[in-house]
């Protein structure tokens, strides 16, 4: 930090800067993160539509579009192979991003994942195993997304904007899924056929990669065009002036931290309940309620759209009650996570109760699905941003550990379903599945609510023996003129 910057931090309380109300340099960076979240999640999910066209004769009006006679096992392996690559890298990606910065790792994630999408139409002709390899590599590349986003959010987002801007970034994922599901079906049925879906997703990712090279920056200090006022506002809010250069990660402190374990356990509950809601309930409706899901895009894309819309309300609400001092940051995170995950937990329990009834429960099931998924978006303003509260310096490491570990359940959960639901048309077996999911969700959420914290941990790397100058810098965010977006 230069002498001029130190002087600015020291005097900011005497002359608080007035920021532009509606847009700043930080919002450009946040918008880029939102876009790559939408692109990568859309690229992840579109194969579930494209593979139907890849394995169905005459799926396109163009007779020259190739189709393949793959078995049901091949079909399942191709769809699940993405997660083989996606989960493991996150356990180390956070540490790497924390040590070397997010910019180039995020470029690797976007460029590598897009390239894998583009080459799949060429590889598919050699057999499903080539698609599996490409999807595994794509999953590895995308495994860097969350650690990179958290690292960027920790560097760019002031304390009192964390909930809404974090929710905005990660809500890009559900929106990307909505658009991908809606457009992939059309692309697979057009004259160019299913290869167009892969080319389109890959091309959008490559365009973003070029934009990121020229516009993306890992921190305000790396951005030449940011205004002095905005940089001071951001850095004083996140205590950037007090940070000690970190040469090693405090693994012992992290693994023995109860608030970190609270996030990990809460994340497991979140992954399990959303996997059940988004994957298993539609399957339940198709097999038990005989609902023609394939012909109704509302069931495929609707919950993602509701999730995306509700996430904005949650973000502004949680930031508002923290900024106004209505409750502490810890309490706000507990409220967001508790309401967000208890609601679908109760909804799944209700699904278990009604699954064996002798009347049509389609309408009730749809209400539970949409309401539960919409309210569940609150976890983005709760446990998802909580890593940054605990340790802005090690936020990427924390999200890598918790998100990587929790997403193992994305692989395990479908296996559990096949063990419990042996006969897909038996409502009693589905009821057992819903009860188990509800119990897991409620238990994990309760653990988070009891043991989580919104306070910066001592192992974050902040100098607690600060001088009066540093104390003044830490106090500055309270005195900077905050003008909400």
């Amino acid at each position: 930090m230069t002498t001029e910057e130190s002087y600015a931090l020291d005097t900011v309380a005497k002359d608080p800067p007035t920021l532009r109300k509606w847009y700043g340099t930080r919002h450009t960076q946040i918008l880029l993160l939102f876009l790559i979240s939408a692109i990568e999640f859309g690229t992840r999910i579109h194969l579930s539509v494209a593979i139907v066209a890849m394995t169905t004769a005459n799926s396109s009006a163009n007779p020259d579009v190739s189709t393949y006679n793959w078995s049901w096992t091949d079909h399942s392996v191709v769809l699940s192979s993405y997660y083989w690559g996606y989960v493991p890298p996150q356990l180390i990606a956070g540490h790497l991003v924390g040590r070397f910065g997010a910019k180039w790792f995020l470029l690797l994630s976007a460029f590598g994942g897009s390239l894998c999408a583009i080459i799949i139409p060429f590889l598919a002709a050699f057999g499903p195993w080539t698609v599996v390899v490409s999807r595994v590599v794509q999953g590895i590349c995308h495994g860097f997304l969350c650690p990179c986003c958290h690292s960027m959010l920790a560097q760019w987002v002031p304390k009192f904007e964390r909930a809404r801007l974090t929710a905005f970034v990660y809500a890009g994922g559900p929106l990307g899924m909505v658009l991908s599901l809606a457009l992939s079906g059309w692309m697979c049925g057009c004259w160019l056929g299913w290869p167009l879906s892969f080319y389109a997703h890959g091309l959008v990712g490559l365009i973003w990669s070029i934009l990121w090279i020229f516009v993306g920056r890992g921190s305000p200090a790396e951005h030449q065009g940011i205004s002095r006022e905005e940089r001071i506002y951001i850095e004083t809010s996140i205590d950037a002036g007090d940070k000690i250069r970190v040469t090693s990660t405090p693994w012992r402190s992290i693994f023995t931290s109860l608030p970190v374990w609270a996030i990990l356990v809460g994340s497991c509950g979140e992954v399990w309940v959303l996997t059940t809601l988004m994957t298993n309930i539609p399957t339940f409706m198709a097999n038990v309620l005989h609902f023609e899901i394939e012909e109704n895009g509302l069931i495929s894309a609707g919950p993602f759209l509701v999730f995306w819309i509700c996430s904005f309300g949650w973000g502004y609400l949680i930031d508002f009650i923290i900024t106004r001092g209505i409750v502490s940051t810890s309490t706000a995170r507990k409220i967001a996570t508790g309401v967000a995950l208890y609601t679908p937990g109760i909804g799944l329990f209700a699904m278990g109760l009604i699954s064996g009834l002798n009347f049509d429960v389609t309408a009730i099931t749809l209400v539970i699905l949409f309401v539960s998924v919409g309210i569940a978006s609150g976890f983005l303003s709760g446990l998802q941003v909580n890593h940054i509260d605990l340790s802005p310096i090690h936020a990427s490491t924390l999200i890598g550990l918790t998100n990587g570990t929790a997403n193992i359940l994305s692989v395990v959960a479908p296996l559990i379903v096949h063990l419990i639901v042996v006969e897909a048309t038996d409502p009693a077996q589905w009821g057992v599945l819903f009860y188990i999911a509800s119990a897991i969700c409620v238990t994990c959420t309760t653990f988070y609510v009891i043991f989580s914290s919104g306070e910066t941990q001592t192992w974050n790397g902040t100098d607690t023996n600060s001088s009066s100058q540093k104390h003044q810098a830490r106090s500055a965010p309270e005195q900077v003129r905050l003008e909400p977006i």
Side-chain angles (χ1 to χ4, degrees):
M1 180 176 294
T2 66
T3 303
E4 180 182 354
E5 291 165 349
S6 298
Y7 176 78
L9 289 173
D10 186 39
T11 59
V12 66
K14 301 176 183 178
D15 184 23
T18 300
L19 302 177
R20 282 179 288 182
K21 290 184 178 181
W22 66 280
Y23 199 82
T25 302
R26 66 191 184 281
H27 298 109
T28 299
Q29 305 301 310
I30 295 304
L31 179 59
L32 287 170
L33 296 181
F34 165 81
L35 291 175
I36 192 56
S37 294
I39 291 169
E40 292 199 3
F41 274 79
T43 302
R44 174 196 303 187
I45 200 172
H46 87 103
L47 182 61
S48 62
V49 176
I51 197 171
V52 176
M54 295 171 70
T55 56
T56 302
N58 302 318
S59 58
S60 169
N62 183 357
D64 294 329
V65 175
S66 301
T67 56
Y68 308 105
N69 186 25
W70 293 349
S71 68
W72 177 248
T73 300
D74 293 333
H75 186 284
S76 301
V77 170
V78 167
L79 288 176
S80 64
S81 59
Y82 176 93
Y83 293 96
W84 305 352
Y86 179 74
V87 173
Q90 295 191 61
L91 302 178
I92 60 170
H95 177 64
L96 294 175
V97 170
R99 289 292 300 275
F100 302 108
K103 177 170 181 175
W104 300 112
F105 282 112
L106 191 53
L107 178 64
L108 170 67
S109 178
F111 183 82
S114 299
L115 191 61
C116 287
I118 290 173
I119 65 175
I120 283 179
F122 300 99
L123 297 177
F126 297 98
W129 69 270
T130 58
V131 179
V132 168
V133 172
S134 183
R135 286 286 285 183
V136 169
V137 175
Q138 188 176 69
I140 292 173
C141 293
H142 287 181
F144 282 84
L145 176 65
C146 284
C148 286
C149 285
H150 252 54
S151 176
M152 291 284 292
L153 289 165
Q155 294 281 351
W156 278 99
V157 177
K159 177 179 178 180
F160 299 119
E161 298 177 9
R162 279 179 185 167
R164 63 178 179 269
L165 293 186
T166 299
F168 177 74
V169 168
Y170 287 108
L175 179 62
M177 291 180 176
V178 170
L179 296 176
S180 181
L181 288 170
L183 295 176
S184 293
W186 171 80
M187 287 187 284
C188 289
C190 74
W191 183 259
L192 295 177
W194 60 265
L196 177 61
S197 180
F198 291 94
Y199 297 147
H201 285 85
L203 179 60
V204 172
L206 292 181
I207 293 173
W208 184 93
S209 299
I210 295 172
L211 184 63
W212 178 251
I213 291 174
F214 294 101
V215 182
R217 296 294 183 271
S219 69
E222 299 174 15
H223 200 292
Q224 301 299 318
I226 189 172
S227 69
R228 171 181 174 274
E229 291 79 12
E230 185 177 9
R231 181 177 172 185
I232 291 173
Y233 169 51
I234 295 172
E235 292 185 342
T236 54
S237 175
I238 62 176
D239 291 338
D242 280 355
K243 288 182 181 177
I244 299 173
R245 180 177 296 276
V246 177
T247 57
S248 62
T249 302
W251 294 112
R252 180 183 179 88
S253 297
I254 289 175
F255 285 121
T256 57
S257 172
L258 197 54
V260 172
W261 279 97
I263 296 176
L264 173 59
V265 173
S267 297
C268 290
E270 169 259 317
V271 169
W272 193 282
V273 73
L274 286 181
T275 297
T276 302
L277 285 169
M278 306 300 281
T279 303
N280 296 328
I281 285 187
T283 305
F284 164 79
M285 294 179 66
N287 290 283
V288 177
L289 305 181
H290 309 293
F291 195 86
E292 296 296 333
I293 298 176
E294 294 83 357
E295 300 177 3
N296 196 326
L298 178 65
I299 303 302
S300 298
F304 293 111
L305 182 60
V306 174
F307 183 100
W308 178 66
I309 295 172
C310 291
S311 67
F312 296 111
W314 270 113
Y316 275 92
L317 174 63
I318 297 303
D319 275 344
F320 177 82
I321 64 178
I322 292 176
T323 303
R324 295 302 178 90
I326 298 174
V327 297
S328 66
T329 301
S330 297
T331 302
R333 303 293 182 231
K334 293 173 188 287
I335 291 172
T337 304
V339 175
L341 299 184
Y342 280 136
T343 299
I346 294 172
L348 286 171
F349 183 80
M351 281 296 304
L353 292 176
I354 67 174
S355 60
L357 298 180
N358 294 322
F359 64 86
D360 187 3
V361 295
T362 301
I364 299 176
T365 302
L366 283 173
V367 170
I368 291 175
L369 175 62
F370 278 76
V371 171
S372 296
V373 171
I375 294 179
S377 65
F379 87 89
L380 295 177
S381 300
L383 67 85
Q384 185 78 354
V385 71
N386 201 188
H387 310 81
I388 305 175
D389 298 324
L390 299 184
S391 177
I393 291 178
H394 303 294
S396 60
T397 299
L398 297 182
I399 187 69
L401 289 172
T402 59
N403 196 54
T405 303
N407 268 282
I408 294 175
L409 299 181
S410 298
V411 180
V412 175
L415 301 178
I416 300 297
V417 173
H418 287 295
L419 290 176
I420 296 175
V421 184
V422 179
E423 177 53 58
T425 59
D426 186 350
Q429 294 179 7
W430 282 99
V432 173
L433 178 70
F434 294 144
Y435 288 140
I436 292 175
S438 175
I440 291 174
C441 178
V442 171
T443 301
C444 292
T445 304
T446 301
F447 188 92
Y448 175 86
V449 170
I450 294 174
F451 297 111
S452 64
S453 171
E455 303 302 320
T456 303
Q457 302 299 291
T458 56
W459 42 265
N460 174 57
T462 302
D463 185 0
T464 55
N465 298 317
S466 57
S467 63
S468 58
Q469 177 183 5
K470 292 182 178 181
H471 174 73
Q472 192 176 36
R474 280 197 302 272
S475 302
E478 302 295 336
Q479 303 179 54
V480 172
R481 296 184 192 133
L482 303 176
E483 301 185 30
I485 307 297

